[in-house]
Amino acid sequence: MKNKLSAGGLVYSTETGRMCPACRQPVAQCVCKQVAAAPAGDGVVRVSRETKGRGGKAVTLVKGLMLDAGALLALGKQLKATCGSGGTVKDGVIEIQGDHIERVIAALKAQGHTVKRAGG
């Protein structure tokens, strides 16, 4: 049985501060964030409706956008304003409260994205 110290690595150094658990570099010099900054995809934006795990309430999901975090937040804000409802951006997915699939597809097509309706 391994003890807790041998399973991990250096977490904090008095010389550099906090260490990144993935690349073992100081957080200020972490290379993990730079590698993960470029999203990958096939260039098709998929719009779907989901109710699972949300108490029966519908949520419109927008996946597959090849944008950085700042641009994704700005687009999420614009789509929320277009639909007149709330929402959030989590893990590269824009969530709009309510069933607004048609409005979101129209708004994304107007911006020049290739859009597909996903799910039923």
Side-chain angles (χ1 to χ4, degrees):
M1 183 173 155
K2 295 182 180 181
N3 74 23
K4 292 180 183 179
L5 294 177
S6 66
L10 182 64
V11 176
Y12 187 85
S13 169
T14 56
E15 189 173 307
T16 59
R18 291 227 171 258
M19 306 295 276
C20 175
C23 65
R24 305 281 183 211
Q25 298 292 324
V27 173
Q29 300 169 352
C30 178
V31 294
C32 301
K33 296 175 188 172
Q34 296 170 356
V35 174
D42 58 356
V44 178
V45 179
R46 289 175 172 79
V47 180
S48 62
R49 184 177 67 93
E50 184 178 280
T51 57
K52 189 187 319 182
R54 302 177 193 279
K57 306 236 190 283
V59 175
T60 304
L61 301 176
V62 181
K63 300 177 184 176
L65 288 164
M66 298 190 330
L67 300 172
D68 62 340
L72 200 62
L73 285 171
L75 181 61
K77 185 174 181 178
Q78 181 182 1
L79 289 175
K80 289 187 295 183
T82 300
C83 297
S85 66
T88 187
V89 177
K90 291 182 184 175
D91 300 326
V93 178
I94 299 175
E95 298 179 2
I96 308 291
Q97 295 174 356
D99 188 3
H100 301 288
I101 293 176
E102 300 303 325
R103 288 182 186 172
V104 170
I105 290 175
L108 291 172
K109 282 186 179 179
Q111 292 184 1
H113 293 284
T114 305
V115 183
K116 278 188 176 179
R117 183 179 178 148

